[in-house]
Amino acid sequence: MENTCIFCSIVKIEIKSFPVYEDNLVIAVLDVNPATEGHVIVIPKTHYNSLYEMPQDQFAYILTISRALAYALLLTQKSTNVDILYTRELIKGNMTPHAIVHLIPRYQDDTVAYNWQPSKPNEDQ
């Protein structure tokens, strides 16, 4: 684990967090800057810069835990859906230094927006 990684500091309990789940491989905590009420991040306890660096079995495990926690959020938060999101770049120029999965409960009136311009690929693409 890297000393400067905020997520490693959460894992080592050097930073206060609000855990909702923990086992030997992952910890899930409420996001300190939530997109919506109940926004959880799932953090592998071993430092990986991205999910793509994780061994396949650990990747499958974090997705299994994320799915179970998302379902629990769906039931407890009375949301209409839960987005399971992974991206290294949350906002252009804001790189996440540790592999994490976001679980974002969705509500009818939330302000979460994923904006892109749909395109129509041609046959070469």
Side-chain angles (χ1 to χ4, degrees):
M1 289 192 240
E2 298 177 1
N3 293 335
T4 59
C5 176
I6 190 168
F7 301 103
C8 289
S9 295
I10 292 169
V11 168
K12 294 187 279 187
I13 315 171
E14 296 173 346
I15 294 176
K16 183 177 180 177
S17 66
F18 298 94
V20 297
Y21 176 83
E22 184 172 10
D23 64 27
N24 292 340
L25 299 176
V26 301
I27 186 169
V29 300
L30 293 174
D31 195 306
V32 296
N33 296 304
T36 64
E37 183 179 335
H39 180 168
V40 168
I41 54 173
V42 183
I43 308 166
K45 288 186 172 181
T46 299
H47 182 89
Y48 297 102
N49 289 317
S50 75
L51 293 179
Y52 308 114
E53 292 181 2
M54 297 177 79
Q56 181 63 33
D57 61 333
Q58 290 181 35
F59 175 73
Y61 183 76
I62 197 170
L63 290 182
T64 298
I65 295 299
S66 295
R67 179 179 179 260
L69 292 172
Y71 188 63
L73 284 169
L74 187 62
L75 296 176
T76 61
Q77 291 300 120
K78 307 291 189 239
S79 57
T80 58
N81 195 11
V82 176
D83 290 351
I84 300 174
L85 176 68
Y86 169 75
T87 179
R88 283 206 62 207
E89 189 172 9
L90 299 177
I91 300 170
K92 294 194 183 293
N94 181 15
M95 299 295 284
T96 303
H98 190 110
I100 61 173
V101 174
H102 291 264
L103 307 177
I104 304 172
R106 299 303 305 269
Y107 306 95
Q108 188 67 33
D109 60 349
D110 72 39
T111 59
V112 175
Y114 306 111
N115 295 315
W116 64 84
Q117 296 296 321
S119 62
K120 299 224 184 261
N122 63 39
E123 290 205 23
D124 292 338
Q125 293 172 318

